[in-house]
Amino acid sequence: MIKINENFLKLQASYLFSEIARRVSDFQSENPGKDIIRLGIGDVTCALPLACIDALHKAVDEMADASTFRGYGPEQGYDFLREIIAKEDFQSRGADVAGDEIFVSDGAKCDTGNFQEIFSTDIKVAIPDPVYPVYLDTNVMAGRTGLYNDGRYDGITYMDVTRENRFVPDLPDETVDLIYLCFPNNPTGATITKAQLKKWVDFARQSKAIILYDAAYEAFIRDDSLPRSIYEVEGARDVAIEFRSFSKTAGFTGVRCAYTVVPKSCMAYTASGEEHSVHSLWNRRHTTKFNSVSYPVQRAAEAVYSAEGKAQVQELTDYYLKNAALIREEVSALGYDCVGGENSPYIWIDGNKDSWEFFDLLLKRAGVVCTPGAGFGRCGEGFIRLSAFNNYENVEKAMTRIKDALKV
Ligand code: MLT
């Protein structure tokens, strides 16, 4: 008899964004013709930067000619991309990262979800609340938790993220082995200073723990004093893995390209204390289960680092930040407290009411889709998240409709 992985039965009924899509689709069937503005899932809406389009076209032409055609690429990514990433995203900011420490992949969602596989199932995992659900759900699937009780899984060390700690988690008061951090944060849009990040790095070093640092929204940082990479912090190379993505940076959500940095000095241990290279383990996993991102897509990602590419990416992220500023302004004028939206495309709003109720109210009265904070964890209850990834005209329209809806 075929048996299931019963850990899947512990999961909540459906993935957050699938549940939202279902509710929106039900609403649309009941209200055909009603115009919906989506400020829910963080999916980009602007066209790809021209530099990427040109690179894609050129690479497709190469694939059309047997003399320049490419088949399987190196699983870790082509050197042309790994080297330029290391130089532009890290070395240029004084962070010590080499090209062969970069693993190119098809998304930070997959990488942040998959990375836990190389660690033992009996480790102690620290996860912020609220959190991007992928970190938590993949640990549930792997069997690192008990059952779901009162909005939380037994066995996880939850780190409350609240107004009181200015949406940056405090260090846990127990020893943990694996720590998930994300800055600029999804869902709250909050940022972390270098001094705060240093405390986490020191904490991880003391307990031989590893930090999985999700920096997918780094391109939205405008405050130069904020770290863009955890490797700007001394000692991080030994205890941190960093995830980056071209999805939000350069509009690649439908193109698929991301990368993970695994420094060669980062170590993990057997039960008897024997040291092993995390880079070697991840390389083994990656080469077994992944067969590289397509050549045209890697050329498009490389183009992000050309002079034109950099300018176009800046323009793109500035555009979304202008939307974010408008959302912040309008929401604050309505008297709601909010965080994020300054160095991040997400605005985390204290709605002061049940977050699914707020979701339904905005959908039904304003035709605007948000993400209910409770979907990101117990501490998200009472909040909603608005995403700035729609176009400016729609964001303006959405804010007018929200104002009217909340006056009723
Ligand atoms: C979000 O809305 O939180 C993100 O778009 C989800 C993702 O990047 O997978």
Side-chain angles (χ1 to χ4, degrees), residues 15 17 40-43 109 132 134 186 217 248 346 376 385:
Y15 181 62
F17 293 105
I41 193 166
D43 193 5
K109 177 178 183 176
Y132 177 45
V134 172
N186 180 14
Y217 298 93
K248 317 294 157 97
Y346 295 128
F376 296 103
R385 190 194 75 176

Side-chain angles (χ1 to χ4, degrees), residues 64-76:
D65 182 336
S67 69
T68 47
F69 170 82
R70 311 226 186 180
Y72 290 131
E75 291 96 338
Q76 302 86 345

Side-chain angles (χ1 to χ4, degrees), residues 328 330-338 349-353 358 406:
R328 267 188 74 93
E330 299 286 2
V331 161
S332 305
L334 284 169
Y336 291 95
D337 273 349
C338 65
I349 301 156
D350 189 346
N352 211 11
K353 61 162 71 70
F358 208 157
L406 295 177

Side-chain angles (χ1 to χ4, degrees), residues 9 39 128 139 215 217 227 238 257 271 311 326 339 363 393:
L9 302 180
L39 304 182
N139 276 287
Y217 298 93
D238 303 337
C257 195
L326 177 65
V339 61
L363 181 61
E393 295 66 36

Side-chain angles (χ1 to χ4, degrees), residues 161-338:
V161 172
T162 60
R163 205 177 294 102
E164 285 65 45
N165 55 24
R166 302 178 72 82
F167 302 97
V168 175
D170 299 318
L171 298 177
D173 45 23
E174 59 181 326
T175 306
V176 294
D177 308 301
L178 188 64
I179 301 156
Y180 286 82
L181 293 177
C182 171
F183 289 103
N185 188 260
N186 180 14
T188 68
T191 52
I192 193 165
T193 66
K194 206 163 165 180
Q196 287 171 317
L197 204 46
K198 172 92 172 74
K199 285 192 192 149
W200 281 100
V201 168
D202 292 346
F203 178 74
R205 291 180 69 91
Q206 272 156 23
S207 43
K208 293 190 170 166
I210 280 184
I211 300 172
L212 297 185
Y213 190 73
D214 185 349
Y217 298 93
E218 148 293 321
F220 294 87
I221 294 178
R222 290 296 178 273
D223 177 344
D224 286 337
S225 70
L226 296 172
R228 283 171 170 252
S229 163
I230 196 166
Y231 304 117
E232 290 173 41
V233 174
E234 200 192 324
R237 273 187 58 84
D238 303 337
V239 290
I241 307 303
E242 183 165 311
F243 304 94
R244 293 272 189 108
S245 171
F246 294 97
S247 283
K248 317 294 157 97
T249 309
F252 274 43
T253 53
V255 177
R256 310 308 303 151
C257 195
Y259 67 88
T260 291
V261 186
V262 189
K264 290 195 171 159
S265 55
C266 188
M267 297 294 153
Y269 306 86
T270 61
S272 62
E274 194 180 271
E275 191 174 88
H276 285 268
S277 153
V278 174
H279 185 281
S280 302
L281 292 169
W282 183 245
N283 190 52
R284 186 69 178 82
R285 190 263 172 217
H286 196 71
T287 50
T288 304
K289 293 198 178 181
F290 189 65
N291 226 348
S292 85
V293 172
S294 75
Y295 172 71
V297 167
Q298 291 196 57
R299 281 295 186 200
E302 180 194 28
V304 164
Y305 300 99
S306 64
E308 310 79 66
K310 281 182 193 170
Q312 290 160 11
V313 161
Q314 174 82 24
E315 204 180 309
L316 203 55
T317 48
D318 279 348
Y319 178 84
Y320 292 129
L321 284 170
K322 188 174 154 213
N323 293 348
L326 177 65
I327 296 173
R328 267 188 74 93
E329 195 184 299
E330 299 286 2
V331 161
S332 305
L334 284 169
Y336 291 95
D337 273 349
C338 65

